[in-house]
Amino acid sequence: MNKHRWDIFRSSAVIHYALFAAVAWMAISAGSIAWYLQDSDRQVLEIAHHEASAYIGKDLAFRAWATSHGGVYVPPTEKTPPNPYLAGTPDRDVVTTTGIKLTLMNPAYMLRQVQTHFAGPFGEKGRIVSLRPLNPINTPDQWEHAALLRFEAGAQEVSAVDKLGGVPHLRVMKPIYTVQGCLKCHGHQGYKVGEVRGGIVVSLSLEPFYEAASQTKRHLLVSHSAGWLIGLLAIGLVAIRSHRRELEREAAEDVLRHSESSLAEAQRIAHLGNWELDLVGNVLTRSPEIFRIFEIDPAKFGASYEAFLAAVHPDDRAMVNQSFTESVANRQPYDIVHRLLMQDGRVKYVNEKCETHYATDGRPIRSLGTVHDITERQRAEEQVRALNQELEQRVAARTTQLEAANKELEAFAFSVSHDLRAPLRAIDGFSRILVEDYEHTLDDEARRLLGVVRENSQRMGQLIDDILSFSRMSRRDMGFSDFDLALLAQSVFDEQQAAVPERRLLLKLGELPRARGDRAMIRQVLTNLIANAIKFTAPRPEALIEIAGDNASGSDENHYWVRDNGVGFDMQYVDKLFGAFQRLHSTEQFEGTGIGLAIVKRVVARHGGRVWAEGRVNEGAAIHFTLPRGKAPEQPARPW
């Protein structure tokens, strides 16, 4: 058992009560046994005395009967010879008419024979004693002599425990009073009727009684011990169960205290307190954090609604009171922000929420609420608003500057494209005239060089057109609609195929989800991607172009791709694919200006989608793009 559990065990009230109950039960059991053992000897003497008294009563009754008849006559035998002490008594010996001899047995003689030959179950020893005995055998011993003297003094019974032959006996003696029948044999001794003539004494062995009492004691000790053990066991079981419940209760109280402590700590960290208002008794209860928020001493706080209202900023009290009153009346929770005025003039902002509980008859009985200190958040929001306002002003200024710069750039691009087109047309035209008019005077090298001039001027013109197209792609207004992308892809492929009738092109058109976007711009995307696929499959005897898509569940966009079996590319250069004028192949290998995929990326981005590429050298390439489903993406304001 660890120290903590031992401390709990020692301090447990249940254990203290159990120990007290165990000690009390032991004391009761021991007291009961001691009382019974002590009373057992008394009970033994009482039972023995009862037996002796019954024996004496029987002897007295027997003697009284014999006395009332003046004795009885029996045939003399060896055991019953004529009584020599009645020799002077008239008619001691008689003969019946049939000649049978009989001798007189007076009551004393009769009783002595009964006592001698017919002992009781406890070995009673009875005899008659007298201070003036006719028969010496009836002479009393010292104790009997003292008892006879007490009878003459008026005692009705004398008893004592004495040892006879080393065995404890109960000796009980009762007096024999002289009656008229006694004078027949004892009248010559001077007795008178009513006088104490002697006594009948019974000596009763106590051993059988003590043996029976010892057996009873053993049974008692066993039963008491069993009862004592059962009682201790019951006390122990009750104590164990009670202690277990006590530990469970203490554990629950520990959990509750920990929860309350955690709640109080969480409220302190979050600056969030709770309160409860008893609407019947107008008693307000608050958590510790409430007092910290309101900066008031709990000991000085008046626990009432009026005391709470007094802590609210004076300018907000009416609003707070109205919100609470209407909430109770309308059975609607409220969620408000109001101010608190501190004693030093500081102002705090709190967010207060409240709801009310009602009795079955509709009476409001209590309101529960929370108070959240949002002063720092309020200040942060004010700072954010100030920063946003400043940012908006900066954005507006930068937008104005950007609009001006882009207008100048647009004017410059238009001017450049216009000014460059004329000299390019002139170069191309004069080169063509030279070839046509001076064909016979020019040698092969001159004609080749003029062809190069014309080819580069035409490429320059295409580059200017692509730059203008790329520029317009950001300025063009977009019109969103739903359309069948499969039909659009087939149409674009047919146009591109018509431009290269000598090529063997195979289109594999898969499932294409319906698209939503600017149809013309998406057409431009497909045109550029299919044109690229046709261009980069030129080394293949048969170009395989796959166009497909899907709309996986759980996603809010459709996915499309254009895949070919062309020359492919090295994935380490994938980031260059969508940059303007970025090329992975030389113009000698594949013609083009490097603007096509940049336009694709810009168009898809304006639709709110994504673009990426996959490929391997000599194993083809795939360009993927997505378009959002449903609502059109919000278009950013163009700065020109």
Side-chain angles (χ1 to χ4, degrees):
M1 182 182 296
N2 58 40
K3 185 177 183 300
H4 176 67
R5 292 183 63 84
W6 173 246
D7 291 340
I8 294 177
F9 182 82
R10 288 193 307 169
S11 62
S12 172
V14 170
I15 299 302
H16 293 168
Y17 290 140
L19 291 175
F20 175 78
V23 171
W25 177 245
M26 292 174 64
I28 292 172
S29 300
S32 175
I33 293 175
W35 177 83
Y36 187 86
L37 293 178
Q38 182 179 2
D39 193 58
S40 176
D41 293 338
R42 182 187 63 79
Q43 291 181 358
V44 166
L45 291 178
E46 284 185 357
I47 294 172
H49 185 275
H50 178 75
E51 291 291 332
S53 297
Y55 189 87
I56 293 174
K58 178 263 296 179
D59 286 351
L60 287 175
F62 181 77
R63 182 182 178 281
W65 176 83
T67 301
S68 66
H69 291 285
V72 296
Y73 286 90
V74 299
T77 63
E78 184 178 353
K79 285 187 176 182
T80 311
N83 189 347
Y85 300 104
L86 298 179
T89 302
D91 299 323
R92 187 197 73 169
D93 298 302
V94 296
V95 179
T96 66
T97 56
T98 59
I100 299 175
K101 294 182 178 181
L102 300 175
T103 186
L104 176 66
M105 294 188 69
N106 66 344
Y109 192 13
M110 294 170 58
L111 188 59
R112 184 166 54 251
Q113 280 206 337
V114 170
Q115 290 174 338
T116 301
H117 301 298
F118 301 97
F122 297 101
E124 302 92 339
K125 295 179 180 180
R127 74 191 194 102
I128 297 174
V129 294
S130 175
L131 293 176
R132 288 178 285 173
L134 285 178
N135 191 341
I137 197 173
N138 294 332
T139 303
D141 60 17
Q142 185 177 359
W143 180 83
E144 293 169 341
H145 186 275
L148 290 171
L149 293 178
R150 290 179 62 185
F151 289 154
E152 292 184 352
Q156 296 298 314
E157 181 183 293
V158 177
S159 63
V161 176
D162 198 2
K163 285 191 175 183
L164 299 177
V167 178
H169 282 69
L170 173 64
R171 305 184 72 183
V172 180
M173 186 175 179
K174 288 189 177 183
I176 298 175
Y177 295 99
T178 303
V179 296
Q180 187 64 39
C182 297
L183 298 179
K184 179 180 178 180
C185 300
H186 299 282
H188 67 281
Q189 292 179 286
Y191 287 107
K192 295 180 180 180
V193 175
E195 290 182 337
V196 176
R197 197 182 64 79
I200 296 179
V201 59
V202 172
S203 298
L204 193 64
S205 174
L206 294 179
E207 281 189 340
F209 295 95
Y210 284 141
E211 183 179 352
S214 297
Q215 186 175 1
T216 303
K217 289 178 182 179
R218 287 193 295 272
H219 293 162
L220 178 69
L221 287 172
V222 171
S223 62
H224 271 68
S225 299
W228 173 69
L229 290 175
I230 292 173
L232 288 182
L233 181 61
I235 292 172
L237 291 176
V238 172
I240 290 172
R241 292 182 179 179
S242 300
H243 185 56
R244 185 181 296 116
R245 286 194 292 269
E246 183 182 40
L247 292 176
E248 291 173 354
R249 185 178 65 253
E250 289 181 355
E253 289 175 354
D254 288 341
V255 171
L256 179 60
R257 284 192 294 269
H258 178 72
S259 298
E260 291 176 347
S261 175
S262 298
L263 177 61
E265 191 66 12
Q267 288 190 349
R268 183 190 65 81
I269 295 172
H271 302 294
L272 176 67
N274 65 285
W275 55 267
E276 179 177 343
L277 176 61
D278 180 0
L279 296 175
V280 178
N282 191 26
V283 177
L284 182 62
T285 305
R286 298 184 176 187
S287 68
E289 184 59 22
I290 292 285
F291 296 104
R292 284 192 288 268
I293 294 174
F294 280 71
E295 297 183 12
I296 54 179
D297 185 357
K300 299 179 181 179
F301 171 67
S304 65
Y305 175 70
E306 291 73 19
F308 156 74
L309 206 59
V312 177
H313 194 286
D315 295 341
D316 293 349
R317 287 175 189 169
M319 180 270 291
V320 172
N321 184 55
Q322 181 181 1
S323 298
F324 176 73
T325 304
E326 291 179 353
S327 170
V328 174
N330 299 331
R331 296 195 175 194
Q332 293 291 331
Y334 71 80
D335 185 344
I336 60 175
V337 174
H338 64 83
R339 293 170 294 173
L340 303 176
L341 182 61
M342 303 295 102
Q343 293 183 355
D344 57 1
R346 289 178 295 110
V347 174
K348 285 186 176 181
Y349 289 85
V350 295
N351 173 216
E352 185 172 351
K353 299 179 181 180
C354 168
E355 64 179 32
T356 301
H357 294 182
Y358 301 83
T360 54
D361 58 0
R363 292 181 299 106
I365 53 176
R366 62 191 180 104
S367 294
L368 304 174
T370 60
V371 177
H372 187 195
D373 185 354
I374 59 171
T375 304
E376 295 300 324
R377 189 182 76 185
Q378 198 78 4
R379 291 173 181 169
E381 288 177 354
E382 291 176 357
Q383 293 176 353
V384 169
R385 282 193 293 271
L387 290 173
N388 285 339
Q389 184 177 2
E390 181 182 354
L391 182 60
E392 288 176 358
Q393 293 173 353
R394 290 183 179 181
V395 168
R398 293 295 299 272
T399 300
T400 302
Q401 296 174 1
L402 191 58
E403 286 179 349
N406 278 287
K407 286 180 180 179
E408 292 178 358
L409 182 61
E410 183 179 1
F412 174 76
F414 180 78
S415 175
V416 167
S417 64
H418 182 271
D419 293 343
L420 286 179
R421 285 180 185 276
L424 284 175
R425 283 195 297 269
I427 293 172
D428 182 63
F430 285 123
S431 298
R432 179 175 53 82
I433 292 171
L434 284 173
V435 172
E436 292 176 353
D437 293 349
Y438 298 95
E439 179 180 4
H440 300 291
T441 60
L442 295 175
D443 57 15
D444 292 339
E445 180 63 16
R447 283 194 296 271
R448 186 188 68 79
L449 293 175
L450 286 174
V452 172
V453 170
R454 291 197 64 195
E455 181 181 347
N456 281 280
S457 63
Q458 291 172 0
R459 184 178 300 161
M460 184 71 173
Q462 182 62 45
L463 181 60
I464 292 172
D465 290 340
D466 288 345
I467 291 174
L468 288 175
S469 176
F470 184 73
S471 174
R472 294 191 190 101
M473 201 58 66
S474 297
R475 296 183 289 110
R476 178 177 172 178
D477 293 330
M478 298 174 62
F480 280 82
S481 63
D482 290 330
F483 56 90
D484 190 335
L485 193 66
L487 292 178
L488 184 61
Q490 184 68 57
S491 173
V492 173
F493 178 79
D494 293 341
E495 291 179 0
Q496 295 293 318
Q497 186 179 38
V500 286
E502 73 282 359
R503 294 281 307 278
R504 292 184 60 187
L505 305 180
L506 178 62
L507 174 64
K508 182 180 179 182
L509 192 61
E511 293 291 335
L512 286 171
R514 290 182 63 83
R516 178 171 179 77
D518 186 296
R519 192 175 188 278
M521 297 179 74
I522 299 302
R523 183 183 183 88
Q524 183 66 49
V525 169
L526 292 175
T527 299
N528 289 1
L529 294 180
I530 294 174
N532 269 5
I534 293 174
K535 177 170 62 176
F536 291 110
T537 57
R540 303 290 186 257
E542 181 180 77
L544 176 61
I545 300 173
E546 177 189 358
I547 304 176
D550 59 51
N551 52 356
S553 60
S555 174
D556 57 355
E557 60 184 8
N558 292 330
H559 171 214
Y560 307 96
W561 63 86
V562 177
R563 180 178 288 114
D564 63 64
N565 63 340
V567 297
F569 62 90
D570 191 337
M571 284 295 290
Q572 66 176 319
Y573 304 115
V574 69
D575 294 336
K576 294 183 177 182
L577 282 180
F578 299 100
F581 309 112
Q582 296 289 328
R583 296 176 56 88
L584 300 184
H585 304 86
S586 66
T587 55
E588 287 76 12
Q589 291 177 297
F590 300 98
E591 62 181 9
T593 59
I595 297 294
L597 290 182
I599 293 175
V600 169
K601 182 178 180 180
R602 177 162 292 189
V603 170
V604 172
R606 288 197 64 187
H607 281 75
R610 300 173 293 121
V611 179
W612 69 96
E614 296 174 347
R616 296 183 68 177
V617 177
N618 292 323
E619 294 185 13
I623 307 299
H624 300 260
F625 67 95
T626 64
L627 294 176
R629 293 203 296 262
K631 185 179 178 181
E634 183 178 350
Q635 298 299 309
R638 287 182 284 107
W640 57 82

